[in-house]
Amino acid sequence: MPPDPEAVAEQVFAALADPTRRAILAELAARGPATATDLAGRLPITRQAIAKHLGLLSDAGLVAGEPGERRRVRYRLDSAPMRVAQQFLAALARDWDSPLAALQAHLNREE
């Protein structure tokens, strides 16, 4: 059974709520796969904190760990959950576009 899009979107939004996690994702997007140690060298945060945030990002499906050299895990972005969240937002927007347009038309007639 495929995952519930609303549940996936909820996990993505929760993960993106933290500025440190957004910075980690931005770093991975800009420079490609990296270890927690690599990321700690680039961001003003400890390796242990990076590892904690990577765990949360992994739980949300936004990053995936892949074995690297010397048992070091390299993390890479996985955009699939982000696409699900975008589709969720697009569906919400569609639900609101028509009523908001009708309200705008009504307000314009009142003027």
Side-chain angles (χ1 to χ4, degrees), residues 51-90:
K52 177 183 172 190
H53 286 292
L54 284 168
L56 293 168
L57 290 168
S58 181
D59 290 346
L62 293 169
V63 299
E66 43 193 41
E69 53 195 53
R70 294 182 303 207
R71 299 185 307 166
R72 294 175 68 193
V73 177
R74 294 178 57 83
Y75 292 88
R76 62 172 175 73
L77 288 178
D78 186 345
S79 62
M82 192 71 73
R83 286 193 301 274
V84 172
Q86 287 173 325
Q87 291 167 351
F88 177 79
L89 288 174

Side-chain angles (χ1 to χ4, degrees), residues 17-41:
D18 185 274
T20 300
R21 289 193 286 276
R22 291 192 306 268
I24 291 169
L25 291 174
E27 191 64 32
L28 292 173
R31 294 183 151 177
T35 65
T37 302
D38 296 336
L39 291 166

